[in-house]
Amino acid sequence: MTPALELEALAVDFASDRGPITAVEDVSLRVLPGRTLCVVGESGSGKSVSILAAMGLLDPRRATVRAQGLRLGNVDLLTLTDDRRRALNGDRIAMVFQDPMTALNPYLRIGTQLTEVLDVHRKMAKNEATSQAIAMLRAVGISAPESRMRSYPHELSGGMRQRVVLAMALLCQPDVLLADEPTTALDVTIQAQVLQLIRDSQARTGMAVVLVTHDMGVVAHMADDVAVLYGGLVVERAPVADLFAAPRHPYTRALLASIPSAAQRGHRLQAISGVPPSPQARPPGCVFAPRCAFAAPICQTVRPVEETLADGRTVRCSRHADVLHG
Ligand SMILES: Nc1ncnc2c1ncn2[C@@H]1O[C@H](COP(=O)(O)OP(=O)(O)O)[C@@H](O)[C@H]1O
Ligand SMILES: [Mg+2]
């Protein structure tokens, strides 16, 4: 099956006074239609930058994006013109951020913002757009949606705003929804409701979901597949059950060991002793070597490549075979 979204060897450099900073060094991700890929990893590992690159939202004056491939279904995103690329956003691929206000205009009514999406992408007449927007607000659990259409963002609670943003993202039935910590700012009950809305919508439309999260409970609940990022690299990719049952990268192992029960909701990834490398000071060998319980001399000098194992998962570790028994 053709992946709904595929990133192959994505790299992103930011310009700085002291030369380019490689924020993302080598990230490959793929998600099939109807499936959910959870992306996990400590703060600064490159999750948001990878998502923004996939959306084409990085400022080209500051960021250089390179990749072997970047595809939305059969569409090659690397060779599209800027105009055609932009036209896909909010239509075939949509995004929900952690802070709903980044996606909402504080000066426009909710209804205006929702119907504009359908005007831009579908050239839909006002009346029809209004009724579709109302139906979508109802679908994401907003009561009295007709009167909510006239509200401004500041008149809504944080949970309501995130529902509105989700409604906006889902209006055109995108093939891919990218959600970057969409529920981090919400309380646990609302968080569960918003995640359920994403699942319901996925079940209806078969969209693929890429969900960035810190919460391993969310991973256990939502993921089909998981990608673990560390220091701008994907260090392991696996189906969720395989990853929880037998992590193969020492970082994944440490990550899972740092929570009492990986399947328990609400437990966040805890810091592993030591700090992740800054993009300006990545070690020459394996980026995780300075914090790794399994590090051998080879790990200090050789940057491991991503290897595909017999069971189909990928791992980036010279010593992955020792990790299972270590
Ligand atoms: N606009 C930017 N300019 C320079 N560096 C950036 C920029 N955005 C992010 N970075 C750096 O890129 C790295 C990855 O950031 P990010 O993707 O936001 O991490 P996270 O995994 O927490 O989402 C970090 O080291 C961050 O400091
Ligand atoms: Mg982030």
Side-chain angles (χ1 to χ4, degrees):
M1 199 192 299
T2 307
L5 179 70
E6 187 163 28
L7 282 60
E8 257 184 284
L10 173 76
V12 180
D13 290 342
F14 287 104
S16 86
D17 297 343
R18 280 170 285 164
I21 295 170
T22 302
V24 169
E25 185 175 313
D26 186 1
V27 165
S28 297
L29 301 173
R30 90 175 23 184
V31 57
L32 294 173
R35 310 265 289 181
T36 298
L37 171 73
C38 281
V39 178
V40 302
E42 277 164 296
S43 178
S45 56
K47 305 181 298 292
S48 294
V49 170
S50 298
I51 296 289
L52 290 169
M55 280 296 280
L57 290 178
L58 293 170
D59 179 354
R61 290 164 303 181
R62 298 224 43 222
T64 308
V65 176
R66 286 162 290 133
Q68 271 165 33
L70 208 51
R71 283 178 297 276
L72 182 67
N74 292 316
V75 179
D76 180 357
L77 298 177
L78 290 174
T79 56
L80 278 188
T81 63
D82 289 351
D83 283 351
R84 292 196 50 212
R85 179 70 194 77
R86 265 192 298 275
L88 294 174
N89 284 358
D91 185 6
R92 301 330 313 144
I93 183 167
M95 177 161 182
V96 180
F97 300 87
Q98 177 175 340
D99 175 4
M101 285 313 282
T102 53
L104 294 172
N105 183 330
Y107 304 110
L108 294 179
R109 295 177 200 274
I110 300 302
T112 308
Q113 301 189 51
L114 288 167
T115 53
E116 189 183 80
V117 172
L118 293 167
D119 177 35
V120 168
H121 293 296
R122 295 282 181 274
K123 308 273 172 287
M124 199 178 278
K126 191 80 206 289
N127 282 352
E128 197 188 344
T130 299
S131 61
Q132 285 213 5
I134 289 169
M136 187 54 82
L137 286 179
R138 190 173 287 118
V140 299
I142 288 185
S143 54
E146 292 86 352
S147 59
R148 279 303 176 204
M149 292 280 281
R150 291 190 294 278
S151 299
Y152 289 91
H154 70 86
E155 296 173 306
L156 307 178
S157 68
M160 282 294 171
R161 277 183 217 148
Q162 197 58 301
R163 283 167 201 257
V164 169
V165 171
L166 189 59
M168 200 182 291
L170 297 176
L171 265 181
C172 293
Q173 292 202 5
D175 301 323
V176 177
L177 179 71
L178 302 175
D180 191 351
E181 309 200 34
T183 59
T184 308
L186 307 177
D187 75 50
V188 175
T189 315
I190 307 291
Q191 174 178 327
Q193 290 170 1
V194 169
L195 292 174
Q196 191 57 46
L197 290 169
I198 292 176
R199 288 182 68 118
D200 293 348
S201 171
Q202 183 178 41
R204 270 200 313 278
T205 67
M207 75 179 171
V209 175
V210 179
L211 176 64
V212 175
T213 178
H214 275 97
D215 186 329
M216 293 311 264
V218 169
V219 174
H221 181 62
M222 297 288 287
D224 296 299
D225 299 289
V226 185
V228 182
L229 265 66
Y230 186 85
L233 299 162
V234 172
V235 297
E236 184 160 5
R237 282 189 284 161
V240 63
D242 296 354
L243 192 92
F244 280 139
R248 291 296 286 270
H249 193 283
Y251 176 63
T252 317
R253 202 176 136 117
L255 208 53
L256 295 177
S258 69
I259 50 173
S261 163
Q264 217 172 315
R265 170 168 294 276
H267 283 294
R268 296 180 153 243
L269 307 186
Q270 283 168 18
I272 297 158
S273 65
V275 289
S278 82
Q280 295 95 318
R282 294 213 182 99
C286 172
V287 284
F288 188 58
R291 301 168 79 185
C292 182
F294 295 85
I298 186 180
C299 307
Q300 314 294 346
T301 53
V302 179
R303 184 79 111 233
V305 295
E306 202 173 29
E307 242 181 278
T308 304
L309 307 185
D311 63 2
R313 76 168 87 187
T314 71
V315 60
R316 189 192 295 274
C317 174
S318 306
R319 305 203 59 211
H320 65 79
D322 305 321
V323 171
L324 276 181
H325 316 289

